[in-house]
Amino acid sequence: MSDLSGKIALVTGANRGIGSEIAYELGRRGATVAVNYRGDDSGARSVLRRFAEAGVSGASDTFKGDVVDAASCVALIDAIVARYGRLDVVVNNAGITRDGLLVRMSDGDWDSVIRTNLTGAFFITRAAAKIMMKQRSGSIVNISSVVGLVGNAGQANYASAKAGLIGLTKSVARELASRNVRVNAVAPGFIETGMTAELPQAAREAALGNIAMRRFGTPADIAAAVAFFASDDAAYITGQVLAIDGGMTFA
Ligand code: NAP
């Protein structure tokens, strides 16, 4: 199990779903976690309760911040550095869907998904990179999607944002490598969370038929890989995209 003792980590959108599990997993492995939320902090506080129940000690705390707002992202990073003195790991997890077929997709649904899923990661990464470059160390993990690799009917906005996140990952990996800052992405397949719970049964069954392992993924499946990328076990890995999809997209 990759050890994250002594590392300060930020997970965006960590009040529920995959982000909440990633925050928990990083903390379980020894990191001090800034558990980000944008509105109600009750979900974020439940991560701290899980730490307490598991006997994970430390100074992890909840931090408010909305990734669609550049100033909010800067304030979030500043607050973490003011509190802990450094920032070692950033997980750009916050994301939304506004699905619809292309010809019916509104400008608003296009813009909001790009703004949250791609521009939000850019705002956070830009602010965090300044700290990590000075430290000459850091690991950024972007939560993309297999949809960003292979596309999906009804998700032109989401697929474009998630594909863009892969471009962001590889470009920033090249820019920051000489400062010992690594940037990688994971591309989850179909993971059981609130995001996928609303899908019609027929769509769920069709998705299952495309998964070689014949099961949906869990947030814990994603969190384990993120913890690896965040850790020094991945010290020589940058610019990579790992699909975690039970065998949905391999060629
Ligand atoms: P989820 O349950 O809907 O959770 C999304 C999280 O993002 C929530 O905590 C949400 O906060 C937060 N968020 C949304 N907009 C935000 C903003 N502007 N600022 C800060 N936080 C914001 O989704 P999930 O399934 O856990 O997905 C997590 C990530 O994995 C997303 O990037 C998603 O695209 C990606 N992913 C998921 C799947 C899947 O099958 N579930 C597959 C591939 C990739 P609120 O509670 O305030 O809304």
Side-chain angles (χ1 to χ4, degrees):
M1 186 168 93
S2 300
D3 180 31
L4 297 172
S5 298
K7 292 194 189 293
I8 308 298
L10 162 66
V11 184
T12 66
N15 54 301
R16 60 190 171 97
I18 293 170
S20 164
E21 192 63 30
I22 292 170
Y24 176 69
E25 188 61 26
L26 300 186
R28 199 171 73 86
R29 295 178 190 224
T32 296
V33 188
V35 184
N36 165 246
Y37 66 98
R38 65 169 161 173
D40 175 16
D41 74 342
S42 56
R45 277 191 284 109
S46 74
V47 178
L48 302 185
R49 275 199 299 280
R50 279 184 80 188
F51 287 149
E53 283 159 17
V56 173
S57 59
S60 295
D61 207 346
T62 63
F63 286 79
K64 188 169 181 153
D66 187 336
V67 302
V68 303
D69 181 60
S72 177
C73 292
V74 170
L76 173 62
I77 301 296
D78 284 352
I80 294 166
V81 175
R83 172 80 177 270
Y84 302 114
R86 55 185 297 114
L87 180 58
D88 302 294
V89 175
V90 166
V91 183
N92 283 308
N93 167 80
I96 60 168
T97 50
R98 296 286 183 273
D99 297 351
L101 294 174
L102 175 77
V103 293
R104 286 193 225 127
M105 187 171 285
S106 69
D107 295 358
D109 284 349
W110 173 270
D111 285 340
S112 59
V113 169
I114 299 291
R115 181 84 179 180
T116 303
N117 298 9
L118 179 56
T119 311
F122 159 68
F123 288 152
I124 290 285
T125 300
R126 184 176 57 184
K130 291 174 184 165
I131 307 299
M132 291 176 167
M133 286 167 78
K134 274 193 210 132
Q135 284 173 184
R136 298 201 172 263
S137 71
S139 173
I140 298 169
V141 187
N142 294 321
I143 311 300
S144 179
S145 168
V146 291
V147 167
L149 297 170
V150 300
N152 195 23
Q155 290 196 306
N157 50 0
Y158 184 79
S160 299
K162 294 299 188 181
L165 210 40
I166 292 172
L168 180 72
T169 300
K170 294 184 178 182
S171 300
V172 180
R174 289 187 188 279
E175 282 189 33
L176 302 187
S178 64
R179 308 292 180 99
N180 193 32
V181 178
R182 300 179 295 101
V183 192
N184 293 287
V186 299
F190 193 118
I191 311 301
E192 294 272 23
T193 67
M195 189 174 271
T196 45
E198 293 157 12
L199 287 174
Q201 192 55 29
R204 292 173 64 85
E205 277 164 24
L208 199 55
N210 288 326
I211 300 170
M213 293 182 76
R214 291 287 182 267
R215 74 165 175 90
F216 296 130
T218 65
D221 291 323
I222 307 306
V226 171
F228 167 70
F229 276 130
S231 78
D232 296 343
D233 289 346
Y236 199 53
I237 303 176
T238 197
Q240 297 300 308
V241 182
L242 179 66
I244 307 170
D245 64 358
M248 201 177 182
T249 55
F250 65 89

